[in-house]
Amino acid sequence: MRLADGPVRLQPMPPGADAMLIAKCPVRDVLDRIGDKWSVLILKNLEEGPRRFGVLKRMIGDISQRMLTQTLRDLQRDGLIQRTVYPTVPPSVDYRLTKLGQSLMDPLEYLVQWSDRNHQKVRKARQSFDRTPPGAPA
Amino acid sequence: MRLADGPVRLQPMPPGADAMLIAKCPVRDVLDRIGDKWSVLILKNLEEGPRRFGVLKRMIGDISQRMLTQTLRDLQRDGLIQRTVYPTVPPSVDYRLTKLGQSLMDPLEYLVQWSDRNHQKVRKARQSFDRTPPGAPA
DNA sequence: CAGCATCCTCGTGGATACTG
DNA sequence: CAGTATCCACGAGGATGCTG
């Protein structure tokens, strides 16, 4: 796979050039987007169809107005969702997945499935680790 | 990425929205892990086999010692990688994927594939968005 | 209704120095 | 070699008030 634009570095690089290594990694474009706190939640909510701003806010519940606006904007910027403004009074706006956004839901679904099947194991590993820290007495 | 680790209920929600709660969404466990800056890069490097600390550091190049140590410990805590200490002098430690960790690579691979195929579209959408901001003159 | 503007907290992660 | 320990900059994200 391509984590970098070229082969993974075997030797240290001058600082700054290495930052580009990650910056150019395609999967980081995705992870930086869906890795944030709200993107996946919003995407999931839009999977069933167009949703208005207020509806999204109520559905998610514990998202601030600020973060909803900002995340929606970022998703739109990346071409994953489309924003439609209806010139009514008061204004109405809805959001929906673009084709690109819909296509992202497929790989995302695999991740969700893995999570559903394995989150218990992760939680158990976590508890076990916390009970018996690395520096534990023999 | 600040994800809630406990129950989060600020206001009453419509029925059905409860499933969207962050605290109850297993995929958050995964995104919280792989969504950080280094986890995927490390996991990818471990895909081919056990790697020692110093090797990982050189392979990745621009990761600080602190973040490599910390991310490795978090991955270990979640049961995704195994840490093996060889009591040599000087000490030698290697890391490898657990079965759980390996199984995560599959859904991750779909994400990587999607990224490789679509990151150009994302970048273009981004550029287009930045050239023509939402509040652009009619 | 669907935002924008502002202030502020706190977690992530970088830099550096030290050690068994 | 494989870490710890500290300090610190930055930005994500929460709270609140205002607006077209």
Side-chain angles (χ1 to χ4, degrees), chain A residues 1-3 8-12 18-41 44-45 48 58-62 73 76-80 83 100-101 103-104 107-108 110-112 114-116 118-119 121-123 125-127 129-130 134, chain B residues 1-4 8-11 13-14 16-17 20-23 25-31 33-38 40-41 44-45 47 58-62 73 76-80 83 100-101 103-104 107-112 114-116 118-119 121-123 125-127 129-130 134:
Chain A
M1 88 70 124
R2 296 180 52 224
L3 276 173
V8 177
R9 310 234 58 87
L10 299 178
Q11 297 295 327
D18 271 335
M20 299 305 294
L21 190 75
I22 277 207
K24 285 182 161 185
C25 176
V27 74
R28 286 241 58 95
D29 284 342
V30 186
L31 285 174
D32 283 348
R33 173 66 36 244
I34 68 172
D36 71 5
K37 193 170 177 179
W38 302 109
S39 289
V40 171
L41 221 44
K44 276 278 165 192
N45 267 283
E48 299 148 27
R58 276 191 302 278
M59 289 293 291
I60 298 178
D62 55 344
R73 178 164 279 262
Q76 184 195 0
R77 188 174 104 100
D78 282 8
L80 298 174
R83 179 178 186 268
L100 189 62
S103 73
L104 175 58
L108 223 45
Y110 284 103
L111 216 51
V112 172
W114 188 93
S115 306
D116 286 340
N118 298 105
H119 73 111
K121 294 178 187 170
V122 170
R123 286 181 212 268
R126 212 173 276 173
Q127 288 174 14
F129 186 93
D130 291 344
Chain B
M1 191 164 28
R2 192 73 270 285
L3 283 89
V8 186
R9 185 62 299 127
L10 303 178
Q11 291 191 347
M13 300 170 67
M20 298 300 182
L21 268 188
I22 273 193
C25 188
V27 75
R28 292 277 138 199
D29 286 340
V30 186
L31 285 173
R33 171 68 37 246
I34 69 173
D36 70 6
K37 193 169 178 181
W38 302 109
V40 171
L41 217 45
K44 272 291 164 186
N45 268 282
E47 213 172 7
R58 277 189 302 277
M59 292 282 288
I60 298 179
D62 57 342
R73 186 157 9 89
Q76 184 194 359
R77 188 174 103 102
D78 282 8
L80 298 174
R83 180 178 184 265
L100 188 62
S103 73
L104 174 59
L108 222 46
E109 188 56 32
Y110 284 103
L111 215 52
V112 172
W114 188 93
S115 306
D116 284 339
N118 297 107
H119 74 110
K121 293 178 188 169
V122 171
R123 286 179 210 270
R126 215 173 276 172
Q127 287 174 14
F129 185 93
D130 291 343

Side-chain angles (χ1 to χ4, degrees), chain B residues 61-124:
Chain B
D62 57 342
I63 187 174
S64 66
Q65 226 163 16
R66 181 186 183 278
M67 288 317 296
L68 181 55
T69 302
Q70 181 176 305
T71 308
L72 284 170
R73 186 157 9 89
D74 288 341
L75 290 170
Q76 184 194 359
R77 188 174 103 102
D78 282 8
L80 298 174
I81 68 177
Q82 183 193 356
R83 180 178 184 265
T84 310
V85 182
Y86 302 96
T88 58
V89 175
S92 171
V93 179
D94 76 19
Y95 299 85
R96 68 194 67 196
L97 293 180
T98 60
K99 287 238 167 193
L100 188 62
Q102 283 183 25
S103 73
L104 174 59
M105 300 314 286
D106 293 333
L108 222 46
E109 188 56 32
Y110 284 103
L111 215 52
V112 172
Q113 285 176 19
W114 188 93
S115 306
D116 284 339
R117 284 199 286 262
N118 297 107
H119 74 110
Q120 281 301 343
K121 293 178 188 169
V122 171
R123 286 179 210 270
K124 291 215 154 116

